Amino acid sequence: MSTPIKPFTSSVELARPTVADAVVGHAEMPLFIRKPNADDGWGIYELIKACPPLDVNSAYAYLLLATQFRDTCAVATNEEGEVVGFVSGYVKDNAPDTYFLWQVAVGEKARGTGLARRLVEAIMSRPELDDVHHLETTITPDNQASWGLFRRLAARWQAPLNSREYFSTEQLGGEHDPENLVRIGPFQTGHI
């Protein structure tokens, strides 16, 4: 018995705005949210570099996220195809009802549009995450933008938000602020 072969979709086709999960922004600057692909790897890397205080990983790491973890990541591009937003994460193997959000980045051109929330909600509304009812992430104590985002998500989803220290400064080599584990949930994925 042979397994049916799925048609191949090129990276160029995957990047077309017509396959976007959502179109957000405004008429003067529409933004297209979709799953990332290999052609987005370098743009994601450049976006993260332009968004301090985010930790910058290797371009290879972002290529892996854009290909191997594409179902649990989202990218936003403008009409020219420039990457202006990115969210990475994964469903935890040891807790399949929990999505761990690794990084959120919104470039300067797309700030103030609600893009970070829309990227997270685009991922959470995918069928692949139907069984997810908790979101976890880590945030440094002084990252007010991230705290604000996750408080807004908890309120929108009508779910509790809890946090505790997760990694200490010492565990992070002494040159990095501590990271708090933030958990939202339980929530109903279908209502996002």
Tab-separated table of all heavy atoms in Angstrom, residues 69-131:
chain	number	residue	atom	x	y	z
A	69	PHE	N	9.609	23.977	13.028
A	69	PHE	CA	8.599	24.367	14.009
A	69	PHE	C	7.585	25.342	13.406
A	69	PHE	O	6.941	26.086	14.120
A	69	PHE	CB	9.275	24.994	15.244
A	69	PHE	CG	10.114	24.019	16.011
A	69	PHE	CD1	11.453	23.853	15.709
A	69	PHE	CD2	9.558	23.261	17.031
A	69	PHE	CE1	12.231	22.938	16.405
A	69	PHE	CE2	10.323	22.350	17.739
A	69	PHE	CZ	11.665	22.182	17.425
A	70	ARG	N	7.431	25.322	12.101
A	70	ARG	CA	6.604	26.322	11.420
A	70	ARG	C	5.141	26.289	11.842
A	70	ARG	O	4.454	27.302	11.832
A	70	ARG	CB	6.761	26.216	9.907
A	70	ARG	CG	6.153	24.980	9.277
A	70	ARG	CD	6.454	24.878	7.771
A	70	ARG	NE	6.108	26.052	7.033
A	70	ARG	CZ	4.941	26.225	6.407
A	70	ARG	NH1	4.038	25.278	6.412
A	70	ARG	NH2	4.704	27.347	5.762
A	71	ASP	N	4.644	25.108	12.255
A	71	ASP	CA	3.239	25.023	12.661
A	71	ASP	C	2.961	25.741	13.978
A	71	ASP	O	1.809	26.042	14.287
A	71	ASP	CB	2.789	23.565	12.778
A	71	ASP	CG	2.650	22.890	11.432
A	71	ASP	OD1	2.557	23.593	10.405
A	71	ASP	OD2	2.633	21.648	11.397
A	72	THR	N	4.018	26.008	14.748
A	72	THR	CA	3.846	26.680	16.042
A	72	THR	C	4.564	28.026	16.087
A	72	THR	O	4.807	28.565	17.159
A	72	THR	CB	4.317	25.777	17.190
A	72	THR	OG1	5.684	25.402	16.971
A	72	THR	CG2	3.444	24.530	17.311
A	73	CYS	N	4.890	28.550	14.917
A	73	CYS	CA	5.502	29.877	14.800
A	73	CYS	C	4.664	30.701	13.822
A	73	CYS	O	3.892	30.149	13.045
A	73	CYS	CB	6.935	29.776	14.287
A	73	CYS	SG	8.082	28.944	15.402
A	74	ALA	N	4.834	32.001	13.874
A	74	ALA	CA	4.144	32.878	12.923
A	74	ALA	C	5.059	34.028	12.552
A	74	ALA	O	5.850	34.510	13.376
A	74	ALA	CB	2.848	33.423	13.516
A	75	VAL	N	4.941	34.453	11.315
A	75	VAL	CA	5.701	35.587	10.815
A	75	VAL	C	4.704	36.587	10.229
A	75	VAL	O	3.650	36.198	9.733
A	75	VAL	CB	6.746	35.121	9.762
A	75	VAL	CG1	6.092	34.592	8.511
A	75	VAL	CG2	7.730	36.209	9.427
A	76	ALA	N	5.044	37.856	10.343
A	76	ALA	CA	4.254	38.908	9.699
A	76	ALA	C	5.176	39.627	8.725
A	76	ALA	O	6.321	39.944	9.052
A	76	ALA	CB	3.711	39.890	10.730
A	77	THR	N	4.659	39.855	7.538
A	77	THR	CA	5.424	40.572	6.522
A	77	THR	C	4.594	41.744	6.016
A	77	THR	O	3.367	41.738	6.104
A	77	THR	CB	5.784	39.661	5.328
A	77	THR	OG1	4.581	39.180	4.725
A	77	THR	CG2	6.658	38.497	5.770
A	78	ASN	N	5.298	42.729	5.462
A	78	ASN	CA	4.592	43.825	4.802
A	78	ASN	C	4.420	43.460	3.323
A	78	ASN	O	4.786	42.348	2.908
A	78	ASN	CB	5.319	45.161	5.013
A	78	ASN	CG	6.729	45.160	4.462
A	78	ASN	OD1	7.106	44.353	3.612
A	78	ASN	ND2	7.536	46.089	4.941
A	79	GLU	N	3.886	44.368	2.540
A	79	GLU	CA	3.622	44.074	1.120
A	79	GLU	C	4.893	43.775	0.339
A	79	GLU	O	4.842	43.065	-0.665
A	79	GLU	CB	2.876	45.234	0.473
A	79	GLU	CG	1.425	45.287	0.866
A	79	GLU	CD	0.662	46.345	0.098
A	79	GLU	OE1	1.009	47.536	0.234
A	79	GLU	OE2	-0.264	45.961	-0.632
A	80	GLU	N	6.031	44.292	0.793
A	80	GLU	CA	7.295	44.036	0.099
A	80	GLU	C	7.913	42.705	0.518
A	80	GLU	O	8.966	42.327	0.011
A	80	GLU	CB	8.299	45.166	0.373
A	80	GLU	CG	7.931	46.490	-0.256
A	80	GLU	CD	6.842	47.225	0.513
A	80	GLU	OE1	6.861	47.203	1.755
A	80	GLU	OE2	5.957	47.806	-0.136
A	81	GLY	N	7.298	42.008	1.465
A	81	GLY	CA	7.825	40.730	1.929
A	81	GLY	C	8.804	40.851	3.087
A	81	GLY	O	9.360	39.850	3.531
A	82	GLU	N	9.031	42.070	3.576
A	82	GLU	CA	9.944	42.267	4.706
A	82	GLU	C	9.317	41.700	5.984
A	82	GLU	O	8.153	41.947	6.285
A	82	GLU	CB	10.213	43.759	4.895
A	82	GLU	CG	11.098	44.075	6.086
A	82	GLU	CD	11.215	45.573	6.338
A	82	GLU	OE1	10.563	46.372	5.624
A	82	GLU	OE2	11.964	45.934	7.254
A	83	VAL	N	10.107	40.943	6.735
A	83	VAL	CA	9.639	40.389	8.001
A	83	VAL	C	9.577	41.519	9.026
A	83	VAL	O	10.589	42.140	9.339
A	83	VAL	CB	10.562	39.255	8.497
A	83	VAL	CG1	10.143	38.777	9.883
A	83	VAL	CG2	10.561	38.095	7.513
A	84	VAL	N	8.373	41.791	9.556
A	84	VAL	CA	8.192	42.867	10.527
A	84	VAL	C	7.686	42.351	11.871
A	84	VAL	O	7.556	43.121	12.823
A	84	VAL	CB	7.248	43.966	9.992
A	84	VAL	CG1	7.860	44.654	8.779
A	84	VAL	CG2	5.875	43.407	9.667
A	85	GLY	N	7.409	41.054	11.950
A	85	GLY	CA	6.964	40.466	13.204
A	85	GLY	C	7.205	38.972	13.199
A	85	GLY	O	7.206	38.335	12.142
A	86	PHE	N	7.447	38.421	14.386
A	86	PHE	CA	7.734	36.995	14.496
A	86	PHE	C	7.411	36.516	15.903
A	86	PHE	O	7.693	37.207	16.881
A	86	PHE	CB	9.210	36.723	14.195
A	86	PHE	CG	9.613	35.282	14.315
A	86	PHE	CD1	9.094	34.322	13.459
A	86	PHE	CD2	10.518	34.880	15.286
A	86	PHE	CE1	9.476	32.989	13.572
A	86	PHE	CE2	10.896	33.559	15.401
A	86	PHE	CZ	10.385	32.606	14.541
A	87	VAL	N	6.813	35.353	15.988
A	87	VAL	CA	6.598	34.659	17.259
A	87	VAL	C	7.071	33.230	17.070
A	87	VAL	O	6.734	32.582	16.070
A	87	VAL	CB	5.113	34.666	17.684
A	87	VAL	CG1	4.880	33.739	18.863
A	87	VAL	CG2	4.676	36.074	18.037
A	88	SER	N	7.871	32.756	18.030
A	88	SER	CA	8.310	31.360	17.993
A	88	SER	C	7.880	30.661	19.262
A	88	SER	O	7.760	31.276	20.325
A	88	SER	CB	9.838	31.281	17.840
A	88	SER	OG	10.483	31.913	18.926
A	89	GLY	N	7.649	29.373	19.138
A	89	GLY	CA	7.271	28.569	20.282
A	89	GLY	C	7.010	27.142	19.858
A	89	GLY	O	7.190	26.766	18.694
A	90	TYR	N	6.560	26.342	20.821
A	90	TYR	CA	6.315	24.929	20.562
A	90	TYR	C	5.342	24.394	21.602
A	90	TYR	O	5.187	24.964	22.680
A	90	TYR	CB	7.622	24.132	20.609
A	90	TYR	CG	8.394	24.313	21.890
A	90	TYR	CD1	8.185	23.465	22.984
A	90	TYR	CD2	9.319	25.343	22.028
A	90	TYR	CE1	8.874	23.654	24.177
A	90	TYR	CE2	10.015	25.527	23.212
A	90	TYR	CZ	9.791	24.672	24.282
A	90	TYR	OH	10.472	24.869	25.464
A	91	VAL	N	4.701	23.283	21.271
A	91	VAL	CA	3.862	22.582	22.226
A	91	VAL	C	4.786	21.666	23.014
A	91	VAL	O	5.598	20.929	22.439
A	91	VAL	CB	2.746	21.781	21.518
A	91	VAL	CG1	1.945	20.968	22.528
A	91	VAL	CG2	1.836	22.724	20.736
A	92	LYS	N	4.683	21.714	24.327
A	92	LYS	CA	5.584	20.958	25.189
A	92	LYS	C	5.296	19.458	25.102
A	92	LYS	O	4.146	19.038	25.228
A	92	LYS	CB	5.449	21.436	26.637
A	92	LYS	CG	5.918	22.876	26.828
A	92	LYS	CD	5.621	23.407	28.206
A	92	LYS	CE	6.414	22.698	29.281
A	92	LYS	NZ	6.287	23.398	30.592
A	93	ASP	N	6.346	18.676	24.887
A	93	ASP	CA	6.193	17.223	24.810
A	93	ASP	C	5.641	16.646	26.108
A	93	ASP	O	4.812	15.738	26.087
A	93	ASP	CB	7.537	16.546	24.502
A	93	ASP	CG	7.940	16.700	23.053
A	93	ASP	OD1	7.061	16.952	22.205
A	93	ASP	OD2	9.140	16.559	22.761
A	94	ASN	N	6.116	17.170	27.236
A	94	ASN	CA	5.712	16.622	28.535
A	94	ASN	C	4.414	17.238	29.058
A	94	ASN	O	3.942	16.867	30.122
A	94	ASN	CB	6.825	16.784	29.559
A	94	ASN	CG	7.169	18.233	29.823
A	94	ASN	OD1	6.780	19.126	29.079
A	94	ASN	ND2	7.927	18.483	30.881
A	95	ALA	N	3.852	18.182	28.325
A	95	ALA	CA	2.585	18.815	28.690
A	95	ALA	C	1.893	19.252	27.399
A	95	ALA	O	1.902	20.426	27.037
A	95	ALA	CB	2.818	20.008	29.614
A	96	PRO	N	1.288	18.320	26.656
A	96	PRO	CA	0.734	18.650	25.335
A	96	PRO	C	-0.433	19.625	25.341
A	96	PRO	O	-0.878	20.041	24.279
A	96	PRO	CB	0.321	17.284	24.773
A	96	PRO	CG	0.283	16.356	25.922
A	96	PRO	CD	1.169	16.915	26.988
A	97	ASP	N	-0.878	20.029	26.522
A	97	ASP	CA	-1.911	21.064	26.594
A	97	ASP	C	-1.312	22.449	26.789
A	97	ASP	O	-2.028	23.413	27.030
A	97	ASP	CB	-2.911	20.760	27.712
A	97	ASP	CG	-2.306	20.909	29.100
A	97	ASP	OD1	-1.060	20.814	29.242
A	97	ASP	OD2	-3.072	21.123	30.056
A	98	THR	N	0.033	22.539	26.664
A	98	THR	CA	0.736	23.799	26.938
A	98	THR	C	1.614	24.206	25.763
A	98	THR	O	2.434	23.427	25.281
A	98	THR	CB	1.596	23.666	28.210
A	98	THR	OG1	0.749	23.274	29.293
A	98	THR	CG2	2.295	24.972	28.541
A	99	TYR	N	1.431	25.434	25.331
A	99	TYR	CA	2.273	26.041	24.297
A	99	TYR	C	3.302	26.908	25.005
A	99	TYR	O	2.943	27.773	25.817
A	99	TYR	CB	1.415	26.900	23.363
A	99	TYR	CG	2.196	27.681	22.335
A	99	TYR	CD1	2.644	27.070	21.174
A	99	TYR	CD2	2.478	29.028	22.515
A	99	TYR	CE1	3.349	27.779	20.218
A	99	TYR	CE2	3.182	29.754	21.563
A	99	TYR	CZ	3.614	29.119	20.415
A	99	TYR	OH	4.327	29.831	19.473
A	100	PHE	N	4.587	26.679	24.723
A	100	PHE	CA	5.643	27.515	25.279
A	100	PHE	C	6.065	28.518	24.219
A	100	PHE	O	6.563	28.142	23.153
A	100	PHE	CB	6.850	26.694	25.739
A	100	PHE	CG	7.880	27.553	26.419
A	100	PHE	CD1	7.781	27.820	27.769
A	100	PHE	CD2	8.910	28.138	25.697
A	100	PHE	CE1	8.698	28.649	28.402
A	100	PHE	CE2	9.829	28.970	26.321
A	100	PHE	CZ	9.723	29.222	27.676
A	101	LEU	N	5.842	29.800	24.500
A	101	LEU	CA	6.195	30.872	23.593
A	101	LEU	C	7.624	31.311	23.896
A	101	LEU	O	7.921	31.727	25.009
A	101	LEU	CB	5.219	32.042	23.765
A	101	LEU	CG	5.298	33.129	22.719
A	101	LEU	CD1	3.956	33.808	22.592
A	101	LEU	CD2	6.361	34.132	23.039
A	102	TRP	N	8.507	31.201	22.900
A	102	TRP	CA	9.915	31.476	23.119
A	102	TRP	C	10.244	32.950	22.894
A	102	TRP	O	10.814	33.614	23.743
A	102	TRP	CB	10.748	30.586	22.206
A	102	TRP	CG	12.223	30.718	22.352
A	102	TRP	CD1	12.919	31.283	23.389
A	102	TRP	CD2	13.201	30.257	21.430
A	102	TRP	NE1	14.263	31.201	23.162
A	102	TRP	CE2	14.470	30.570	21.952
A	102	TRP	CE3	13.128	29.614	20.206
A	102	TRP	CZ2	15.652	30.260	21.301
A	102	TRP	CZ3	14.312	29.294	19.560
A	102	TRP	CH2	15.549	29.617	20.105
A	103	GLN	N	9.908	33.491	21.731
A	103	GLN	CA	10.224	34.888	21.446
A	103	GLN	C	9.076	35.572	20.717
A	103	GLN	O	8.390	34.942	19.910
A	103	GLN	CB	11.483	35.016	20.571
A	103	GLN	CG	12.778	34.864	21.326
A	103	GLN	CD	13.987	35.164	20.458
A	103	GLN	OE1	14.101	34.704	19.327
A	103	GLN	NE2	14.913	35.941	21.003
A	104	VAL	N	8.912	36.850	21.010
A	104	VAL	CA	7.979	37.723	20.290
A	104	VAL	C	8.794	38.931	19.839
A	104	VAL	O	9.469	39.550	20.657
A	104	VAL	CB	6.838	38.231	21.205
A	104	VAL	CG1	5.939	39.193	20.443
A	104	VAL	CG2	6.040	37.092	21.778
A	105	ALA	N	8.710	39.244	18.563
A	105	ALA	CA	9.417	40.416	18.049
A	105	ALA	C	8.507	41.167	17.092
A	105	ALA	O	7.887	40.567	16.214
A	105	ALA	CB	10.695	39.995	17.321
A	106	VAL	N	8.457	42.483	17.275
A	106	VAL	CA	7.728	43.357	16.354
A	106	VAL	C	8.680	44.483	15.975
A	106	VAL	O	9.186	45.197	16.841
A	106	VAL	CB	6.435	43.918	16.984
A	106	VAL	CG1	5.778	44.922	16.051
A	106	VAL	CG2	5.467	42.785	17.318
A	107	GLY	N	8.940	44.608	14.688
A	107	GLY	CA	9.830	45.642	14.197
A	107	GLY	C	9.236	47.028	14.334
A	107	GLY	O	8.022	47.202	14.485
A	108	GLU	N	10.103	48.004	14.265
A	108	GLU	CA	9.702	49.398	14.461
A	108	GLU	C	8.571	49.822	13.532
A	108	GLU	O	7.645	50.528	13.934
A	108	GLU	CB	10.921	50.301	14.268
A	108	GLU	CG	10.694	51.718	14.707
A	108	GLU	CD	11.967	52.553	14.660
A	108	GLU	OE1	13.061	52.028	14.964
A	108	GLU	OE2	11.852	53.734	14.309
A	109	LYS	N	8.593	49.372	12.287
A	109	LYS	CA	7.578	49.775	11.304
A	109	LYS	C	6.179	49.294	11.669
A	109	LYS	O	5.194	49.857	11.200
A	109	LYS	CB	7.935	49.217	9.920
A	109	LYS	CG	9.159	49.823	9.304
A	109	LYS	CD	9.442	49.182	7.955
A	109	LYS	CE	10.709	49.737	7.346
A	109	LYS	NZ	11.025	49.091	6.060
A	110	ALA	N	6.088	48.233	12.483
A	110	ALA	CA	4.779	47.633	12.778
A	110	ALA	C	4.343	47.829	14.222
A	110	ALA	O	3.312	47.304	14.626
A	110	ALA	CB	4.826	46.144	12.443
A	111	ARG	N	5.098	48.597	14.979
A	111	ARG	CA	4.732	48.803	16.384
A	111	ARG	C	3.486	49.664	16.480
A	111	ARG	O	3.222	50.514	15.644
A	111	ARG	CB	5.900	49.422	17.149
A	111	ARG	CG	7.017	48.408	17.279
A	111	ARG	CD	8.141	48.830	18.167
A	111	ARG	NE	9.186	47.799	18.079
A	111	ARG	CZ	10.467	48.033	18.108
A	111	ARG	NH1	10.901	49.268	18.258
A	111	ARG	NH2	11.325	47.039	18.018
A	112	GLY	N	2.714	49.404	17.520
A	112	GLY	CA	1.488	50.163	17.746
A	112	GLY	C	0.296	49.657	16.949
A	112	GLY	O	-0.762	50.284	16.949
A	113	THR	N	0.440	48.512	16.286
A	113	THR	CA	-0.648	47.960	15.474
A	113	THR	C	-1.347	46.792	16.153
A	113	THR	O	-2.292	46.238	15.577
A	113	THR	CB	-0.115	47.476	14.109
A	113	THR	OG1	0.812	46.409	14.335
A	113	THR	CG2	0.548	48.597	13.328
A	114	GLY	N	-0.880	46.390	17.328
A	114	GLY	CA	-1.432	45.204	17.983
A	114	GLY	C	-0.914	43.914	17.371
A	114	GLY	O	-1.479	42.843	17.568
A	115	LEU	N	0.180	44.016	16.624
A	115	LEU	CA	0.690	42.864	15.881
A	115	LEU	C	1.130	41.724	16.795
A	115	LEU	O	0.870	40.561	16.484
A	115	LEU	CB	1.833	43.289	14.960
A	115	LEU	CG	2.425	42.176	14.087
A	115	LEU	CD1	1.352	41.557	13.182
A	115	LEU	CD2	3.574	42.727	13.250
A	116	ALA	N	1.785	42.015	17.905
A	116	ALA	CA	2.250	40.936	18.786
A	116	ALA	C	1.084	40.053	19.224
A	116	ALA	O	1.135	38.827	19.128
A	116	ALA	CB	2.978	41.505	20.001
A	117	ARG	N	0.013	40.671	19.683
A	117	ARG	CA	-1.164	39.909	20.108
A	117	ARG	C	-1.736	39.117	18.944
A	117	ARG	O	-2.099	37.954	19.069
A	117	ARG	CB	-2.230	40.856	20.666
A	117	ARG	CG	-3.532	40.134	21.024
A	117	ARG	CD	-4.650	41.075	21.394
A	117	ARG	NE	-4.995	42.077	20.403
A	117	ARG	CZ	-5.780	41.835	19.337
A	117	ARG	NH1	-6.260	40.637	19.115
A	117	ARG	NH2	-6.061	42.813	18.504
A	118	ARG	N	-1.820	39.744	17.787
A	118	ARG	CA	-2.407	39.064	16.628
A	118	ARG	C	-1.559	37.883	16.170
A	118	ARG	O	-2.093	36.871	15.723
A	118	ARG	CB	-2.614	40.064	15.502
A	118	ARG	CG	-3.727	41.035	15.838
A	118	ARG	CD	-3.914	42.063	14.771
A	118	ARG	NE	-5.147	42.786	15.006
A	118	ARG	CZ	-5.348	44.011	14.598
A	118	ARG	NH1	-4.412	44.645	13.928
A	118	ARG	NH2	-6.485	44.604	14.848
A	119	LEU	N	-0.239	37.999	16.278
A	119	LEU	CA	0.633	36.875	15.937
A	119	LEU	C	0.386	35.704	16.883
A	119	LEU	O	0.257	34.558	16.452
A	119	LEU	CB	2.100	37.293	15.997
A	119	LEU	CG	2.622	38.117	14.821
A	119	LEU	CD1	3.919	38.819	15.187
A	119	LEU	CD2	2.816	37.227	13.593
A	120	VAL	N	0.336	35.995	18.187
A	120	VAL	CA	0.101	34.936	19.179
A	120	VAL	C	-1.258	34.301	18.936
A	120	VAL	O	-1.389	33.067	18.909
A	120	VAL	CB	0.204	35.490	20.616
A	120	VAL	CG1	-0.202	34.420	21.634
A	120	VAL	CG2	1.619	35.988	20.903
A	121	GLU	N	-2.273	35.106	18.732
A	121	GLU	CA	-3.612	34.560	18.532
A	121	GLU	C	-3.737	33.806	17.211
A	121	GLU	O	-4.505	32.843	17.118
A	121	GLU	CB	-4.659	35.654	18.678
A	121	GLU	CG	-4.775	36.109	20.128
A	121	GLU	CD	-5.863	37.138	20.387
A	121	GLU	OE1	-6.339	37.783	19.424
A	121	GLU	OE2	-6.234	37.286	21.561
A	122	ALA	N	-2.972	34.196	16.194
A	122	ALA	CA	-2.978	33.438	14.930
A	122	ALA	C	-2.462	32.023	15.167
A	122	ALA	O	-3.022	31.054	14.644
A	122	ALA	CB	-2.130	34.152	13.875
A	123	ILE	N	-1.415	31.903	15.962
A	123	ILE	CA	-0.878	30.572	16.278
A	123	ILE	C	-1.878	29.784	17.115
A	123	ILE	O	-2.184	28.625	16.827
A	123	ILE	CB	0.468	30.691	17.019
A	123	ILE	CG1	1.534	31.293	16.113
A	123	ILE	CG2	0.919	29.311	17.536
A	123	ILE	CD1	2.811	31.692	16.832
A	124	MET	N	-2.389	30.413	18.161
A	124	MET	CA	-3.270	29.704	19.088
A	124	MET	C	-4.576	29.266	18.428
A	124	MET	O	-5.229	28.347	18.917
A	124	MET	CB	-3.563	30.576	20.315
A	124	MET	CG	-2.322	30.965	21.116
A	124	MET	SD	-1.269	29.579	21.596
A	124	MET	CE	-2.366	28.685	22.645
A	125	SER	N	-4.968	29.890	17.334
A	125	SER	CA	-6.221	29.522	16.670
A	125	SER	C	-6.029	28.441	15.606
A	125	SER	O	-7.003	28.015	14.977
A	125	SER	CB	-6.872	30.758	16.063
A	125	SER	OG	-6.067	31.286	15.038
A	126	ARG	N	-4.809	27.966	15.405
A	126	ARG	CA	-4.570	26.924	14.407
A	126	ARG	C	-5.101	25.569	14.895
A	126	ARG	O	-5.005	25.253	16.081
A	126	ARG	CB	-3.076	26.811	14.107
A	126	ARG	CG	-2.532	28.013	13.373
A	126	ARG	CD	-1.056	27.880	13.114
A	126	ARG	NE	-0.556	29.080	12.466
A	126	ARG	CZ	0.709	29.449	12.477
A	126	ARG	NH1	1.619	28.713	13.102
A	126	ARG	NH2	1.086	30.558	11.879
A	127	PRO	N	-5.603	24.758	13.984
A	127	PRO	CA	-6.120	23.440	14.370
A	127	PRO	C	-5.076	22.575	15.080
A	127	PRO	O	-5.422	21.764	15.935
A	127	PRO	CB	-6.531	22.804	13.041
A	127	PRO	CG	-6.670	23.924	12.077
A	127	PRO	CD	-5.775	25.031	12.560
A	128	GLU	N	-3.797	22.761	14.743
A	128	GLU	CA	-2.733	21.983	15.376
A	128	GLU	C	-2.662	22.212	16.883
A	128	GLU	O	-2.089	21.418	17.621
A	128	GLU	CB	-1.354	22.327	14.773
A	128	GLU	CG	-1.204	22.026	13.310
A	128	GLU	CD	-1.517	23.220	12.408
A	128	GLU	OE1	-2.403	24.046	12.745
A	128	GLU	OE2	-0.882	23.324	11.357
A	129	LEU	N	-3.247	23.322	17.352
A	129	LEU	CA	-3.188	23.659	18.767
A	129	LEU	C	-4.553	23.564	19.453
A	129	LEU	O	-4.763	24.123	20.514
A	129	LEU	CB	-2.590	25.065	18.950
A	129	LEU	CG	-1.060	25.094	18.933
A	129	LEU	CD1	-0.510	24.936	17.545
A	129	LEU	CD2	-0.540	26.339	19.568
A	130	ASP	N	-5.474	22.814	18.870
A	130	ASP	CA	-6.809	22.666	19.452
A	130	ASP	C	-6.791	22.132	20.881
A	130	ASP	O	-7.687	22.445	21.665
A	130	ASP	CB	-7.689	21.755	18.592
A	130	ASP	CG	-8.289	22.465	17.401
A	130	ASP	OD1	-8.191	23.717	17.326
A	130	ASP	OD2	-8.842	21.780	16.526
A	131	ASP	N	-5.811	21.310	21.217
A	131	ASP	CA	-5.752	20.709	22.554
A	131	ASP	C	-4.948	21.535	23.548
A	131	ASP	O	-4.734	21.106	24.678
A	131	ASP	CB	-5.177	19.291	22.468
A	131	ASP	CG	-6.095	18.361	21.671
A	131	ASP	OD1	-7.327	18.572	21.702
A	131	ASP	OD2	-5.570	17.439	21.014
